[in-house]
Amino acid sequence: MDKNLDGKFERTIREQVFFRGSCLHSGRKATLTLSPAPAGSGVIFLRRDGGELRELPARVENIVDGARATTLGRGHVQVRTVEHLMAALRGLSVDNVICELDSDEVPMGDGSAAVFVDLIRRAGIISQDCPAKEYILRHPVWVRKGSRYLVALPYDGQCLKVTYCFVGDDPCPGTQQVEFDINEDIFIREVAPARTVAFEQEIASLRSLGLGLGGDLDTVLVAGKDGYLNEPRYPDEVARHKVLDLVGDLALAGRVVAHVIGIGSGHAMNHELARKIIEACCPAL
């Protein structure tokens, strides 16, 4: 990383990079190209549609679906499964970048955010001449769905802090709890490599709905009745991946400074909390 980077200023990547791979849900191949963007641009997805490039800003107001992944849409343009890429951008504090796709879904890499971290680091990161805006929470906001909770509290740290509890009904994966201050080093080492999780008994029904068609034992951690079907990267990889998804979903609100506590929550609740955080606080320089 550039030793002259200043966390108080917006950041973009130094040069264009690309990645080609399979998509988690559609199973199709897709190419993702990341390019530098001017200060104040934010993260912008570009879709090729009939030879024409269509723009889709990665913002909360453009969320159109939260079933098993985060989907953005505006007009006739949609992009699915943006959360792992968004998590990598937020984890590395990249504010402005153009993400061009030749498909309607972001390729998955190895099912985690690690491939996007590597891609961004290969591109290099540079500071820009624009102070970074932060959403600093001043009072609690929360979302509740039955026994599932997602609470954001004011936090006197300099970043997003996440405490997450995954409550499992079966011994595998069981109940898992993790807590992280999401700075760059911790994100890269402790959160980014955690893969998407699937439950063996759900796979057939998901695929009948056109979901998870690109997943396999190299890209998805599969939990069966008697244990995992493949080797976890961490004993609590399920909870860590939930943190990864949460970081990516909240990135659609910008640089959020808060302590977020989740119990059994998922994408739809993440999206609702992101909206409430934006309503509760104004960007602060």
Side-chain angles (χ1 to χ4, degrees), residues 6-11 93 95 126-132 255:
D6 189 335
K8 296 181 180 180
F9 287 83
E10 290 188 356
R11 314 208 297 184
S93 297
D95 304 279
I126 56 173
S127 290
Q128 296 175 287
D129 189 20
C130 181
R255 291 195 183 199

Side-chain angles (χ1 to χ4, degrees), residues 3 19 22 46 50 56 59 94 101 105 130 148 158 161 179 185 187 197-198 205 217 232 240-241 251 274 285:
K3 65 182 181 181
F19 170 75
S22 298
L46 290 180
L56 177 57
R59 296 200 296 256
V94 176
L101 285 165
E105 187 175 4
C130 181
R148 298 179 293 144
Q158 301 298 311
K161 180 176 183 177
E179 182 173 271
D185 290 339
F187 181 81
V197 180
S205 62
L217 291 177
R240 291 179 191 237
H241 188 80
L285 298 183

Side-chain angles (χ1 to χ4, degrees), residues 257-270:
V257 178
H259 181 187
V260 177
I261 303 169
I263 302 175
S265 54
H267 289 298
M269 292 178 68
N270 296 347

